[in-house]
Amino acid sequence: MSDKPELPRPGSLQAVIGAMLFASGEPLTPETLRDALRTVAKGAGPGTPEADFAGATAKEIRGYLGDIAATLARCDLGLCLCEEGGRFAFRTEPAAGPWVRALTKAAPPQRLSRATLETLAVIAYRQPISRAEIESVRGVSADHTVRALLEQGLIRAVGRSELPGRPFLYGTTATFLEHFGLRSLDDLEPPPEE
């Protein structure tokens, strides 16, 4: 007989996935969840839930994530499972924002100025894009707004252009997707006709 106490067994793969998402401090991809399942299985014997869960594919995990999202929506708990750039995380429902901010003493979300939103839209729809190209589209200097968007983590330098001087090229970040509640850039509305 082992001196080690018997640990409770997980009830289902969906419960394990939910627990991993809850415990994580950052959004997770289905592949990251699958890798964690496989890591645990390495030390488990055959026929155990740990070993059984290791066979889950990223597609199956994505299905469980959809089930978790549907369950949360049905239960009306003020929580949702959000997908942002292929990564999943639990979030509070936006409607509960004032109460959550009061409890956590968080600052209200920072509003973006019209100029900043216009610059962000140009970057989102035309990325990767240089500052000169942004200024060409908007017709005004973009130094201040690009700097502000970089500081807020909504955009990042994604490379350098082959043009003389090799200017930075900018693109949106996962924070951008999260801020606007998008799963991917494919969720952006089509740009207005010019």
Side-chain angles (χ1 to χ4, degrees):
M1 183 168 191
S2 172
D3 293 341
K4 234 163 82 173
E6 185 66 28
L7 295 175
R9 295 284 181 205
S12 69
L13 179 53
Q14 180 173 306
V16 171
I17 291 169
M20 288 192 295
L21 283 170
F22 179 78
S24 175
E26 59 190 44
L28 301 174
T29 64
E31 293 75 19
T32 302
L33 292 163
R34 182 194 63 214
D35 292 345
L37 293 169
R38 290 179 177 172
T39 298
V40 171
K42 288 179 184 174
T48 63
E50 291 87 348
D52 295 341
F53 294 168
T57 66
K59 183 177 180 180
E60 290 170 329
I61 291 171
R62 196 172 267 283
Y64 284 114
L65 293 167
D67 293 345
I68 292 168
T71 299
L72 286 172
R74 196 173 48 253
C75 292
D76 193 27
L77 296 173
L79 301 173
C80 58
L81 180 62
C82 296
E83 180 182 0
E84 299 138 1
R87 301 176 318 149
F88 293 82
F90 288 121
R91 300 282 186 240
T92 57
E93 290 286 352
W99 294 275
V100 173
R101 280 192 298 279
L103 177 68
T104 61
K105 297 179 180 26
Q110 191 173 20
R111 295 219 181 258
L112 300 175
S113 70
R114 182 179 177 96
T116 305
L117 278 173
E118 288 174 2
T119 301
L120 187 56
V122 169
I123 295 168
Y125 283 107
R126 297 186 178 204
Q127 62 186 307
I129 188 170
S130 70
R131 188 182 319 241
E133 292 169 312
I134 296 166
E135 291 171 350
S136 172
V137 171
R138 290 205 56 236
V140 296
S141 173
D143 287 342
H144 176 72
T145 53
V146 167
R147 190 173 23 254
L149 290 168
L150 285 166
E151 288 172 3
Q152 293 175 39
L154 296 172
I155 65 168
R156 66 183 179 92
V158 295
R160 289 195 174 258
S161 172
E162 294 300 321
L163 294 173
R166 300 203 20 108
F168 283 110
L169 296 173
Y170 298 99
T172 55
T173 64
T175 303
F176 164 81
L177 296 174
E178 181 181 331
H179 185 84
F180 291 98
L182 303 170
R183 288 180 305 204
S184 72
L185 292 173
D186 295 336
D187 290 347
L188 285 171
E189 295 288 328
E193 296 292 325
E194 294 182 23

